[in-house]
Amino acid sequence: MTVLNGKGVLDGIAIGKIVFYQRKGQEAVKRHVENTEEELRRYQDAKEQEAADLKKLYEKALHEAGEKSAKIFEIHQMILEDIDFCDAITDTIKSERVNAEYAVKKACDTYIQTISAIDDPYLKERAADIRDISQKLIGILTNSESDTFTSEEPVIIAADDLTPSETVQLDKSKILAFITINGSVNSHTAILARSMNIPAVVAVGEELGLKYNGNNAIVDGASGRIYIAPDAETVRLFSERREAKKAEQEQLHSLKGKKSVTMDGKEINIYANIGRPEDVEAVLRNDAEGIGLFRSEFLYLGRETYPTEEEQFQAYRSVAENMQGKQVIIRTLDIGADKQADYFEMPKEANPAMGCRAIRICLTRQDIFKTQLRALYRASAFGNIAIMFPMIISVGEVRAIKQIIHAVQLELSGEGAAYNPETKLGIMVETPAAALISDELAKEVDFFSIGTNDLTQYTLAIDRQNPSLEHFYDAHHKAVLTLIRITAENAHKNGIFVGICGELGADLSLTETFLRMGIDELSVSAPCVLPLRKKVMETRMDR
């Protein structure tokens, strides 16, 4: 038996045969061309095809791995359209009079060489993205078949590394685990593996070689160990551990239909976050008590024009009806920062996370906002909808929103359109400003929802998407928890409910803390609902 060590990405045990992922070679040989216009046209056609492919990958990732993972392909789309990257390719075609695939390879190599010289994990991840995009472009230009993986039985996939596009295209039913020579626990592929709930071990090193292809192995995602050609006793021990985990999952399923109540009788609502109407299936399957965050950005991203009122209405209505009376809290559009749509024609900003985003766009482009509000209010006639506004920092913003809502309601009434005039209105508390004036804000709305992701990054002044700052980023920082406590106290003081819809809501080490603060609702990704309910049911508050 041989034991290899890497970095575990997701806790879990897989037992099966190792099969190496084999890529088909893609030639990008340099050729002189006379007709550069034809090469530019080939490049543009390839770009359009890749953009269409990325859209399909986004949809597949969204369905199988959730919104956070799907965003990877939005980043790829942005890189594909990046002006500097595109100019490097077209300039090479025109100035050197070479074929498009070679120009793509040259641009890719230049960017990766520049980035690799900088010791920054975040930039290194961008290098992997550029390589993935370039490989796909070259494959389209050379008419190379896409890499495929087929297996009659589920196997452990081994590779030097896997790109996000390769990972998401694999048939999940045939994958027991991923093991890779390179990679990191923060890579996009690792994020996908976690979201797809597939055990993975990365950064095993060159010891993981083709000589192990076809060998039986055990992958322990918790420890990051791989046992190749394990003896009978090791197989028995890990089989027992795997069965224990399976029994734990069955116990979680037995909690469906039960209330989320502590041992001493304190009840809390456990809701789910969704990014698209299709996600309702997972919400119901995991027995969430409602939807605490329905992100409406999906209607605006990955398209070339604004969504119509009717498109929005149908999406909101379908979710409200499918939830059969359970509350659905819909957040108005949160475009900006890391979520960009070209047709909004937003000016370039040096610091978009601090720029014109979310409610700031809505209040400065009221035609867009009114269209969404009309759709939301029309949908309110078909279910238990509440509306939530992001990035609020002042009472004046809330009052301005109410004036616009009043105008929308008058319009709908004049048209004879059905809507619920008692629709609950809430705000996201995701800035220190909102938390510190939450006593005043609570007098204006029906509920608060604390967005802990942004609240943490704005409180700590740390970009939460920059992995090179990971060791500085502390989501449990006393300042963050203090702002959450202040917000909860001011909500209850003014008779409104308060929830949490950020990632901290699923942090089981903080569940009791949140319960003691008086948080009324925790909204998490659908797979986290039952583990969170179990934690609540095992907690005592009277000691």
Side-chain angles (χ1 to χ4, degrees):
M1 179 172 69
T2 302
V3 181
L4 304 181
N5 291 288
K7 295 179 180 177
V9 169
L10 179 72
D11 186 9
I13 294 167
I15 303 174
K17 184 172 68 175
I18 293 175
V19 174
F20 269 77
Y21 185 81
Q22 301 290 332
R23 293 184 179 88
K24 298 180 176 67
Q26 292 176 337
E27 291 290 327
V29 178
K30 183 177 181 180
R31 290 186 292 104
H32 176 78
V33 297
E34 293 295 335
N35 189 344
T36 56
E37 290 301 318
E38 173 63 18
E39 289 304 304
L40 291 170
R41 185 194 60 75
R42 288 182 63 232
Y43 165 59
Q44 290 300 326
D45 288 348
K47 251 181 73 179
E48 289 176 12
Q49 183 176 331
E50 180 160 2
D53 292 344
L54 285 171
K55 187 174 182 181
K56 292 176 184 176
L57 289 174
Y58 175 90
E59 297 290 341
K60 191 171 190 292
L62 193 68
H63 176 70
E64 295 183 355
E67 185 185 27
K68 182 177 179 180
S69 296
K71 281 184 179 179
I72 293 167
F73 298 103
E74 288 181 358
I75 292 171
H76 282 202
Q77 181 70 54
M78 290 167 64
I79 295 172
L80 182 67
E81 301 293 344
D82 180 79
I83 294 172
D84 292 335
F85 183 60
C86 294
D87 284 351
I89 294 169
T90 56
D91 288 350
T92 298
I93 293 172
K94 289 187 283 189
S95 63
E96 298 185 25
R97 304 186 73 83
V98 292
N99 52 315
E101 52 269 37
Y102 172 77
V104 171
K105 181 179 184 299
K106 182 179 178 180
C108 173
D109 291 346
T110 300
Y111 270 69
I112 289 173
Q113 185 177 6
T114 302
I115 290 172
S116 298
I118 304 170
D119 187 19
D120 185 324
Y122 178 78
L123 291 177
K124 282 184 168 58
E125 192 57 44
R126 296 291 75 72
D129 292 331
I130 292 167
R131 185 180 292 109
D132 192 1
I133 290 160
S134 300
Q135 286 175 351
K136 285 177 64 62
L137 269 175
I138 291 168
I140 294 167
L141 287 162
T142 57
N143 293 316
S144 302
E145 290 185 22
S146 300
D147 299 312
T148 57
F149 174 83
T150 56
S151 175
E152 294 296 321
E153 58 182 353
V155 296
I156 297 165
I157 292 184
D160 57 346
D161 202 355
L162 288 165
T163 67
S165 58
E166 288 170 340
T167 305
V168 82
Q169 288 183 89
L170 293 167
D171 181 354
K172 275 179 62 177
S173 68
K174 302 297 183 184
I175 306 168
L176 296 172
F178 293 124
I179 54 176
T180 63
I181 295 169
N182 303 306
S184 75
V185 294
N186 294 315
S187 71
H188 280 166
T189 302
I191 291 170
L192 279 166
R194 280 192 289 268
S195 300
M196 295 162 75
N197 201 33
I198 296 172
V201 175
V202 300
V204 180
E206 296 297 332
E207 292 179 64
L208 178 62
L210 274 170
K211 61 184 177 182
Y212 295 125
N213 192 48
N215 277 231
N216 288 324
I218 297 170
V219 176
D220 182 5
S223 68
R225 292 193 180 93
I226 302 165
Y227 301 82
I228 298 175
D231 55 51
E233 179 62 14
T234 303
V235 171
R236 184 187 68 78
L237 288 171
F238 276 94
S239 295
E240 288 178 356
R241 282 178 55 188
R242 186 176 59 177
E243 289 305 308
K245 285 182 177 292
K246 184 179 177 182
E248 187 178 323
Q249 287 299 312
E250 289 174 354
Q251 183 191 7
L252 288 177
H253 288 305
S254 73
L255 300 180
K256 290 182 179 180
K258 296 184 178 179
K259 290 187 175 182
S260 304
V261 185
T262 64
M263 295 175 72
D264 52 313
K266 179 175 174 58
E267 186 172 348
I268 190 169
N269 290 321
I270 299 181
Y271 286 7
N273 300 331
I274 68 170
R276 300 179 74 84
E278 302 92 292
D279 296 341
V280 171
E281 179 188 352
V283 173
L284 297 173
R285 187 170 66 248
N286 287 278
D287 196 41
E289 292 149 9
I291 292 173
L293 172 62
F294 179 7
R295 305 175 184 91
S296 61
E297 292 79 62
F298 79 96
L299 287 159
Y300 297 84
L301 297 172
R303 56 187 296 149
E304 297 179 359
T305 57
Y306 295 102
T308 65
E309 178 184 325
E310 192 62 26
E311 284 179 277
Q312 296 188 61
F313 164 67
Q314 293 297 342
Y316 306 143
R317 174 181 173 173
S318 70
V319 172
E321 289 181 330
N322 287 332
M323 288 301 291
Q324 301 174 359
K326 292 182 177 180
Q327 189 172 52
V328 178
I329 300 175
I330 304 176
R331 182 179 71 188
T332 56
L333 74 95
D334 190 8
I335 293 291
D338 59 331
K339 299 187 284 286
Q340 298 287 336
D342 290 343
Y343 61 89
F344 273 73
E345 297 182 344
M346 300 294 293
K348 291 287 184 183
E349 296 178 308
N351 193 348
M354 301 281 191
C356 192
R357 56 174 294 198
I359 202 64
R360 297 165 189 171
I361 294 176
C362 292
L363 291 177
T364 54
R365 301 190 182 189
Q366 293 188 17
D367 54 334
I368 299 171
F369 194 30
K370 284 181 177 178
T371 299
Q372 183 171 34
L373 288 171
R374 282 179 57 89
L376 286 165
Y377 270 98
R378 286 174 58 202
S380 71
F382 296 89
N384 185 7
I385 281 178
I387 305 173
M388 178 165 68
F389 306 99
M391 287 300 294
I392 296 297
I393 62 169
S394 73
V395 170
E397 289 172 337
V398 179
R399 290 175 179 167
I401 290 167
K402 286 181 174 179
Q403 288 181 344
I404 298 169
I405 287 173
H406 181 64
V408 165
Q409 289 179 330
L410 287 177
E411 282 182 8
L412 292 174
S413 296
E415 296 166 10
Y419 69 91
N420 177 12
E422 303 301 319
T423 297
K424 302 290 186 186
L425 301 177
I427 64 166
M428 295 279 288
V429 176
E430 48 194 335
T431 65
L436 292 172
I437 64 164
S438 53
D439 187 22
E440 297 174 46
L441 290 168
K443 295 175 174 61
E444 301 289 335
V445 295
D446 300 303
F447 65 92
F448 287 154
S449 187
I450 303 171
T452 58
N453 298 351
D454 271 331
L455 181 61
T456 304
Q457 90 166 340
Y458 289 132
T459 302
L460 304 183
I462 291 177
D463 179 0
R464 61 189 170 91
Q465 295 184 325
N466 187 343
S468 66
L469 297 176
E470 193 173 294
H471 59 294
F472 292 107
Y473 188 86
D474 178 12
H476 292 207
H477 196 288
K478 185 177 180 180
V480 176
L481 296 179
T482 299
L483 291 172
I484 295 172
R485 177 180 55 77
I486 290 170
T487 302
E489 289 172 354
N490 285 329
H492 293 149
K493 175 182 169 183
N494 289 279
I496 69 171
F497 83 82
V498 57
I500 290 176
C501 63
E503 290 182 20
L504 281 189
D507 187 335
L508 300 184
S509 69
L510 286 175
T511 303
E512 183 173 342
T513 299
F514 292 147
L515 287 167
R516 291 190 182 279
M517 286 181 183
I519 298 297
D520 302 298
E521 170 248 313
L522 295 169
S523 191
V524 297
S525 62
C528 295
V529 167
L530 293 175
L532 181 55
R533 179 173 295 161
K534 179 174 182 287
K535 178 66 176 179
V536 169
M537 295 174 74
E538 293 172 346
T539 301
R540 291 197 71 91
M541 303 292 293
D542 58 355
R543 60 186 178 193

